[in-house]
Amino acid sequence: MNGIPERCAFIPMSVSRLVATLLVVILALQTGCSVSPLISNTDYQASVGRVAIVSINEQPDIAFEGFSRNKAAGAAKGAGTGFIGCMELLGQGSCSGSVCGAFYLLWLGVCGVSGVVGGIAGSAKAESSSEVERAEDRMGGHLSAESIQKSLGDELILVAQARGTNLALPDLSQLPPSGEAHDYRTFSGKADTVLEVALTHAGTRGSGINPPLQLTMTAHVRLVSTVDNSLIEEVDYTYGGASYTLQNWSADGAKRLLRGLQAGYIALAYHIHDSLLMLYPFPDRNPNAIGLFVAAFGLAPEEPPTRGQLTGDKLFGEIFEWARSSGTRPTLRWQAFPRDADRAAAPEDMAAVRDVRYDLIIAQERNMTPGEIVYWREGLPYNSHTLTQSLKPDTRYFWSVRARFKLNGRDRVTEWGGVNLPALEQFTAPSTSSYRFKTP
């Protein structure tokens, strides 16, 4: 449930597709019904003082997944990926009650047939191993430990400066990797808190034969007090970007990959800074039913609505998963903050909220994942906004919104809204768990 969702390779047969899609709908009803996570403790934010940003110069895990090495491996991978992808989709929800036994058995049967069909198609679609290796070499050449860690650290400093964070060290400090946690008491004369960041993963992932591969990047972050080297917070954040084929990622000197990595650095930097130093978690963590088979966490969309869980099914997804906007310059509307449920859960804090504004982000859909950011506004005065520039016609988009406000004299932000609470906390926005619409 917390990982990047992988789409099930449904079999190209109308009956089986219908059964599989109905099961996905049932699964969607299961998602979001589990116990809501506890509210993160962010009381430390008031006393972080001067912050030093430090990156650890270690080699991240670099993995380009999703392509078989040759045609012989293609058939084997086709069969395995169809079944495993189906079963992974099942793991996104939690089943309870008397229907679970039949539900799991039926899903197992659908995935089994899917695996057979995937194997037949696999041998015909796999690229030669030399073509794959050349493409991976072009991509991997842009991923060195020093350049990756410095790029992320530099972006984090730019975000901190733009947000007005009290930086103790204006330049990035890079430390060598260590088997043990670094002792930051030596920083105590210059900084009160160290924000340590290291990119631990960069690569692509996908399922099937020659599939669209989604660029993913994960950063491990630690917030440490320089007084006694005590750990304040430790968390992993993941960027899930656009999806392209391996050939498209590596074409023209891997320029698309470089742009994707840069977008990942920026998205992670904003998410790291705002989550650790500005976040005010929604007091009410419960899902908010917003339509057929879907619930929202955070500020719920009102126009355009979001329908269902994202399954990737071409037939039913086009009808049920992508609501149509009013035009290419639509007016987006969402819940106002504070919500009634937030006032009930934290009446004193909500009564002290001042200067509420909203941040809006929109990304174009690329192979069922969020691609390039096409619209980003911060500090909107109302809980509705008419876009000031036109989007592409007949195009799908992911979007999300959050509140920005003052509480006790400090700037705070909520989580970005979406349909999966754990994903909103761990993944940058927008993600596949964000809201969706399609232009006419």
Side-chain angles (χ1 to χ4, degrees), residues 240-434:
S243 296
Y244 295 99
T245 63
L246 184 62
Q247 292 90 339
N248 286 336
W249 276 123
S250 61
D252 196 16
K255 286 185 178 179
R256 181 173 278 121
L257 174 66
L258 292 177
R259 291 195 297 267
L261 288 171
Q262 186 62 28
Y265 297 141
I266 295 172
L268 281 170
Y270 274 98
H271 195 78
I272 290 168
H273 179 277
D274 293 356
S275 295
L276 287 178
L277 302 180
M278 296 179 64
L279 179 65
Y280 183 94
F282 282 104
D284 178 64
R285 316 296 286 171
N286 294 311
N288 183 4
I290 57 174
L292 187 64
F293 306 137
V294 66
F297 295 89
L299 301 180
E302 295 178 350
E303 182 62 35
T306 287
R307 304 194 196 112
Q309 298 290 324
L310 186 65
T311 65
D313 185 271
K314 293 181 180 179
L315 176 62
F316 290 90
E318 184 69 22
I319 301 172
F320 295 111
E321 297 174 13
W322 299 88
R324 191 173 295 272
S325 67
S326 58
T328 56
R329 285 184 54 194
T331 296
L332 305 184
R333 190 174 68 251
W334 54 89
Q335 279 182 311
F337 181 81
R339 304 167 300 175
D340 291 341
D342 295 322
R343 292 189 179 94
E348 293 185 7
D349 274 1
M350 294 300 97
V353 166
R354 298 289 184 272
D355 192 20
V356 176
R357 294 155 291 151
Y358 301 94
D359 299 339
L360 172 67
I361 190 168
I362 304 174
Q364 184 174 334
E365 175 261 348
R366 296 289 187 185
N367 294 306
M368 304 305 292
T369 59
E372 61 272 21
I373 305 298
V374 297
Y375 201 85
W376 187 354
R377 296 291 185 272
E378 292 189 343
L380 298 174
Y382 308 110
N383 62 313
S384 66
H385 176 70
T386 301
L387 272 59
T388 58
Q389 64 190 56
S390 296
L391 303 176
K392 294 180 180 179
D394 193 27
T395 303
R396 295 171 171 179
Y397 293 93
F398 290 93
W399 70 287
S400 188
V401 65
R402 69 179 179 184
R404 175 183 296 272
F405 56 96
K406 287 188 180 295
L407 180 61
N408 300 326
R410 293 176 47 229
D411 289 328
R412 310 297 297 272
V413 295
T414 64
E415 297 100 335
W416 292 95
V419 298
N420 183 311
L421 181 57
L424 303 185
E425 296 172 335
Q426 299 169 18
F427 288 81
T428 62
S431 71
T432 53
S433 293
S434 296

Side-chain angles (χ1 to χ4, degrees), residues 203-276:
T204 55
R205 63 178 297 175
S207 61
I209 301 301
N210 293 355
L213 302 173
Q214 184 180 23
L215 176 63
T216 64
M217 302 164 65
T218 298
H220 183 71
V221 186
R222 299 171 70 240
L223 204 62
V224 182
S225 170
T226 63
V227 175
D228 54 6
N229 206 47
S230 60
L231 182 66
I232 300 172
E233 186 64 88
E234 185 172 23
V235 66
D236 291 305
Y237 295 121
T238 295
Y239 165 75
S243 296
Y244 295 99
T245 63
L246 184 62
Q247 292 90 339
N248 286 336
W249 276 123
S250 61
D252 196 16
K255 286 185 178 179
R256 181 173 278 121
L257 174 66
L258 292 177
R259 291 195 297 267
L261 288 171
Q262 186 62 28
Y265 297 141
I266 295 172
L268 281 170
Y270 274 98
H271 195 78
I272 290 168
H273 179 277
D274 293 356
S275 295
L276 287 178

Side-chain angles (χ1 to χ4, degrees), residues 123-197:
S123 60
K125 294 183 179 180
E127 295 286 341
S128 69
S129 58
S130 60
E131 291 171 336
V132 173
E133 288 168 359
R134 283 196 297 270
E136 288 185 347
D137 287 342
R138 288 196 297 272
M139 295 170 74
H142 295 284
L143 302 175
S144 69
E146 183 176 0
S147 63
I148 284 177
Q149 305 299 359
K150 188 176 188 304
S151 295
L152 179 57
D154 286 344
E155 289 294 343
L156 189 52
I157 286 177
L158 291 176
V159 172
Q161 290 173 335
R163 296 284 195 240
T165 300
N166 185 4
L167 289 179
L169 303 176
D171 298 320
L172 179 68
S173 294
Q174 278 199 304
L175 297 180
S178 173
E180 299 179 358
H182 289 278
D183 190 338
Y184 290 115
R185 284 176 290 189
T186 56
F187 282 56
S188 60
K190 301 177 181 179
D192 302 300
T193 306
V194 168
L195 199 170
E196 177 195 280
V197 60

Side-chain angles (χ1 to χ4, degrees), residues 8-9 77-89 107-116 118:
C8 178
K77 183 172 182 181
T81 305
F83 179 82
I84 293 171
C86 244
M87 294 308 295
E88 284 183 351
L89 181 60
W107 187 266
L108 184 67
V110 171
C111 289
V113 178
S114 172
V116 172

